[in-house]
Coordinates of all heavy atoms in Angstrom, one line a residue:
G1 N 256.9 203.8 110.8 CA 257.4 205.1 110.6 C 258.5 205.5 111.5 O 259.1 206.6 111.3
F2 N 258.8 204.8 112.6 CA 259.9 205.2 113.6 C 261.2 204.4 113.3 O 261.2 203.2 113.5 CB 259.4 204.9 115.0 CG 258.2 205.7 115.4 CD1 257.3 205.2 116.3 CD2 258.0 207.0 115.0 CE1 256.2 206.0 116.8 CE2 257.0 207.8 115.5 CZ 256.1 207.3 116.3
A3 N 262.1 205.1 112.7 CA 263.4 204.5 112.3 C 263.2 203.4 111.4 O 263.9 202.3 111.5 CB 264.2 204.1 113.6
K4 N 262.4 203.6 110.4 CA 262.2 202.6 109.3 C 261.9 203.2 108.0 O 261.3 204.4 107.9 CB 261.0 201.7 109.7 CG 261.2 200.9 111.0 CD 259.9 200.2 111.5 CE 260.1 199.6 112.9 NZ 260.1 200.7 113.9
T5 N 262.4 202.7 107.0 CA 262.2 203.2 105.6 C 260.8 202.7 105.2 O 260.1 201.9 105.8 CB 263.2 202.6 104.7 OG1 263.0 201.2 104.6 CG2 264.6 202.9 105.1
T6 N 260.4 203.3 104.0 CA 259.1 202.9 103.5 C 259.0 201.4 103.2 O 258.1 200.7 103.6 CB 258.8 203.6 102.2 OG1 258.7 205.0 102.4 CG2 257.5 203.1 101.6
E7 N 260.1 200.8 102.7 CA 260.1 199.4 102.4 C 260.1 198.6 103.7 O 259.4 197.5 103.8 CB 261.4 199.0 101.6 CG 261.4 199.6 100.2 CD 261.7 201.1 100.1 OE1 262.2 201.6 101.2 OE2 261.4 201.8 99.1
Q8 N 260.8 199.0 104.7 CA 260.8 198.3 106.0 C 259.3 198.4 106.6 O 259.0 197.4 107.2 CB 261.8 198.9 106.9 CG 263.2 198.6 106.5 CD 264.3 199.4 107.1 OE1 264.0 200.4 107.8 NE2 265.5 199.0 107.0
N9 N 258.7 199.5 106.5 CA 257.3 199.5 107.0 C 256.4 198.6 106.4 O 255.6 197.9 107.1 CB 256.8 201.0 106.8 CG 257.4 202.0 107.8 OD1 257.5 201.7 109.0 ND2 257.7 203.2 107.3
Y10 N 256.6 198.3 105.1 CA 255.7 197.4 104.4 C 256.1 195.9 104.8 O 255.3 195.1 104.9 CB 255.7 197.6 102.9 CG 254.8 198.7 102.6 CD1 255.2 200.0 102.4 CD2 253.4 198.5 102.4 CE1 254.4 201.0 102.1 CE2 252.5 199.5 102.1 CZ 253.0 200.8 101.9 OH 252.1 201.8 101.6
E11 N 257.3 195.7 105.0 CA 257.8 194.4 105.6 C 257.1 194.1 106.9 O 256.7 193.0 107.2 CB 259.3 194.3 105.6 CG 259.8 192.9 106.2 CD 261.3 192.8 106.3 OE1 262.0 193.8 105.9 OE2 261.7 191.8 106.9
L12 N 257.2 195.2 107.8 CA 256.6 195.1 109.1 C 255.1 194.8 109.1 O 254.6 193.9 109.8 CB 256.9 196.3 109.9 CG 256.7 196.3 111.4 CD1 257.6 195.4 112.0 CD2 257.0 197.8 111.9
L13 N 254.4 195.4 108.1 CA 253.0 195.2 108.0 C 252.7 193.8 107.5 O 251.8 193.1 108.0 CB 252.5 196.2 107.0 CG 250.9 196.2 106.7 CD1 250.1 196.3 108.0 CD2 250.5 197.2 105.7
R14 N 253.5 193.3 106.5 CA 253.3 191.9 106.0 C 253.5 190.9 107.1 O 252.8 189.8 107.1 CB 254.2 191.7 104.8 CG 253.9 192.3 103.5 CD 254.7 191.7 102.4 NE 256.1 191.9 102.5 CZ 256.8 193.0 102.2 NH1 256.2 193.9 101.6 NH2 258.1 193.0 102.4
K15 N 254.4 191.2 108.0 CA 254.8 190.2 109.0 C 254.4 190.5 110.4 O 254.9 190.0 111.4 CB 256.4 190.0 109.0 CG 256.9 189.5 107.6 CD 258.4 189.5 107.6 CE 259.0 189.0 106.3 NZ 260.5 189.0 106.2
L16 N 253.3 191.4 110.4 CA 252.8 191.9 111.8 C 252.5 190.6 112.7 O 252.7 190.7 113.9 CB 251.6 192.7 111.5 CG 251.1 193.5 112.7 CD1 252.2 194.5 113.3 CD2 249.9 194.3 112.4
E17 N 251.9 189.6 112.1 CA 251.5 188.5 112.9 C 252.6 187.8 113.6 O 252.3 187.0 114.6 CB 250.7 187.5 112.0 CG 251.5 186.8 110.9 CD 250.7 185.9 110.1 OE1 249.5 185.7 110.4 OE2 251.2 185.4 109.0
Y18 N 253.8 188.0 113.2 CA 255.0 187.5 113.9 C 254.9 187.9 115.4 O 255.4 187.1 116.2 CB 256.3 187.9 113.3 CG 256.6 187.2 111.9 CD1 255.7 186.7 111.1 CD2 258.0 187.3 111.5 CE1 256.0 186.2 109.9 CE2 258.3 186.7 110.2 CZ 257.3 186.1 109.4 OH 257.6 185.6 108.2
L19 N 254.5 189.1 115.6 CA 254.5 189.6 117.0 C 253.6 188.8 117.9 O 253.7 188.9 119.1 CB 254.1 191.1 117.0 CG 255.0 192.1 116.2 CD1 254.6 193.5 116.5 CD2 256.4 191.8 116.4
K20 N 252.6 188.0 117.4 CA 251.7 187.3 118.1 C 252.4 186.3 119.0 O 251.8 185.8 120.0 CB 250.7 186.5 117.2 CG 249.7 187.5 116.6 CD 248.7 188.1 117.7 CE 247.6 188.9 117.1 NZ 246.7 189.5 118.1
V21 N 253.7 185.9 118.7 CA 254.4 184.9 119.5 C 254.6 185.5 120.9 O 254.8 184.6 121.8 CB 255.7 184.6 118.8 CG1 256.7 185.8 118.9 CG2 256.4 183.3 119.4
L22 N 254.5 186.7 121.1 CA 254.7 187.3 122.4 C 253.4 187.2 123.2 O 253.4 187.6 124.5 CB 255.2 188.7 122.3 CG 256.5 188.9 121.6 CD1 257.0 190.4 121.6 CD2 257.6 188.1 122.3
G23 N 252.3 186.9 122.6 CA 251.1 186.7 123.3 C 250.5 188.0 123.9 O 249.7 187.9 124.9
L24 N 250.7 189.1 123.3 CA 250.2 190.4 123.8 C 249.4 191.1 122.7 O 249.6 190.9 121.4 CB 251.3 191.3 124.2 CG 252.1 190.7 125.4 CD1 253.4 191.5 125.6 CD2 251.3 190.7 126.7
P25 N 248.5 192.0 123.0 CA 247.7 192.8 122.0 C 248.7 193.6 121.2 O 249.8 194.0 121.6 CB 246.8 193.6 122.8 CG 246.8 193.0 124.2 CD 248.1 192.3 124.4
I26 N 248.3 193.9 120.0 CA 249.1 194.7 119.0 C 248.3 196.0 118.6 O 247.2 195.9 118.2 CB 249.5 193.9 117.7 CG1 250.3 192.7 118.2 CG2 250.2 194.7 116.7 CD1 250.4 191.6 117.0
L27 N 249.0 197.1 118.7 CA 248.5 198.3 118.2 C 249.2 198.7 116.9 O 250.4 198.6 116.7 CB 248.7 199.4 119.3 CG 248.2 200.8 118.9 CD1 247.8 201.5 120.2 CD2 249.3 201.7 118.2
A28 N 248.4 199.2 115.9 CA 248.9 199.6 114.6 C 248.6 201.1 114.4 O 247.5 201.6 114.4 CB 248.3 198.8 113.5
G29 N 249.7 201.9 114.4 CA 249.6 203.3 114.1 C 250.0 203.6 112.6 O 251.2 203.9 112.4
L30 N 249.1 203.6 111.7 CA 249.4 203.8 110.3 C 248.8 205.1 109.7 O 249.2 205.5 108.6 CB 248.8 202.6 109.5 CG 249.3 201.3 109.8 CD1 248.3 200.2 109.5 CD2 250.6 201.0 109.1
S31 N 248.0 205.7 110.5 CA 247.1 206.8 109.9 C 247.9 208.0 109.3 O 248.8 208.6 110.0 CB 246.3 207.4 111.1 OG 245.4 208.3 110.6
R32 N 247.7 208.1 108.0 CA 248.2 209.2 107.2 C 249.7 209.3 107.2 O 250.3 210.4 107.1 CB 247.5 210.5 107.6 CG 246.0 210.5 107.4 CD 245.4 211.8 107.8 NE 243.9 211.7 107.7 CZ 243.3 212.2 106.6 NH1 243.9 212.6 105.6 NH2 241.9 212.0 106.7
K33 N 250.4 208.2 107.4 CA 251.9 208.3 107.5 C 252.6 208.3 106.2 O 252.0 208.0 105.1 CB 252.4 207.1 108.4 CG 252.1 207.3 109.9 CD 252.7 206.3 110.8 CE 252.6 206.8 112.3 NZ 253.2 205.7 113.2
S34 N 253.9 208.5 106.2 CA 254.6 208.7 105.0 C 254.7 207.4 104.2 O 254.9 207.4 102.9 CB 256.1 209.2 105.3 OG 256.8 208.2 106.0
M35 N 254.5 206.2 104.8 CA 254.5 205.0 104.0 C 253.3 204.9 103.1 O 253.3 204.1 102.2 CB 254.5 203.8 104.9 CG 253.3 203.6 105.8 SD 253.4 202.2 107.0 CE 253.3 200.8 105.9
I36 N 252.4 205.8 103.3 CA 251.2 206.0 102.4 C 251.5 207.2 101.5 O 251.3 207.0 100.2 CB 249.9 206.2 103.2 CG1 249.7 205.1 104.1 CG2 248.7 206.5 102.3 CD1 248.6 205.4 105.2
T37 N 251.9 208.2 102.0 CA 252.0 209.5 101.1 C 253.1 209.5 100.1 O 253.0 210.0 99.0 CB 252.1 210.7 102.0 OG1 253.3 210.6 102.8 CG2 250.9 210.9 103.0
R38 N 254.3 208.8 100.5 CA 255.4 208.8 99.6 C 255.1 207.9 98.4 O 255.4 208.4 97.2 CB 256.6 208.4 100.4 CG 257.2 209.4 101.3 CD 258.4 209.0 102.0 NE 258.9 210.0 102.9 CZ 259.8 209.8 103.9 NH1 260.3 208.6 104.1 NH2 260.2 210.8 104.7
P39 N 254.7 206.7 98.5 CA 254.4 205.9 97.3 C 253.5 206.6 96.4 O 253.5 206.4 95.1 CB 254.0 204.5 97.8 CG 254.5 204.5 99.2 CD 254.5 205.9 99.7
L40 N 252.4 207.2 96.9 CA 251.3 207.8 96.1 C 251.7 209.3 95.7 O 250.9 209.8 95.0 CB 250.0 207.8 96.9 CG 249.6 206.4 97.3 CD1 248.3 206.4 98.2 CD2 249.2 205.6 96.1
N41 N 252.7 209.8 96.3 CA 253.1 211.2 96.0 C 251.9 212.2 96.3 O 251.4 212.9 95.5 CB 253.5 211.4 94.5 CG 254.2 212.8 94.3 OD1 254.7 213.3 95.2 ND2 254.0 213.3 93.1
I42 N 251.3 212.0 97.5 CA 250.2 212.8 97.9 C 250.5 213.5 99.3 O 251.5 213.1 100.0 CB 248.9 212.0 98.1 CG1 249.1 210.8 99.1 CG2 248.5 211.5 96.7 CD1 247.9 210.1 99.4
S43 N 249.7 214.4 99.8 CA 249.8 215.0 101.1 C 249.1 214.1 102.1 O 248.2 213.3 101.8 CB 249.2 216.4 101.1 OG 247.8 216.3 101.0

């Protein structure tokens, strides 16, 4: 959701495991964001 379009957010989610190459824990902040509300046209 930070400087990313809806489509880019989904690409990031699909390829999240790519970040494992850095060998560090990953945090996902997806809760109630626009990448959910916009495709579904909900609040």
Side-chain angles (χ1 to χ4, degrees):
F2 293 148
K4 297 171 188 75
T5 65
T6 298
E7 293 75 16
Q8 288 165 348
N9 283 318
Y10 279 95
E11 178 182 354
L12 194 59
L13 181 58
R14 284 193 301 273
K15 299 177 180 177
L16 190 63
E17 63 183 353
Y18 287 20
L19 303 188
K20 288 293 185 182
V21 72
L22 301 181
L24 296 169
I26 298 171
L27 180 148
L30 296 155
S31 187
R32 299 180 182 268
K33 287 191 172 179
S34 64
M35 65 184 290
I36 301 165
T37 60
R38 285 178 181 166
L40 298 176
N41 193 28
I42 58 175
S43 70

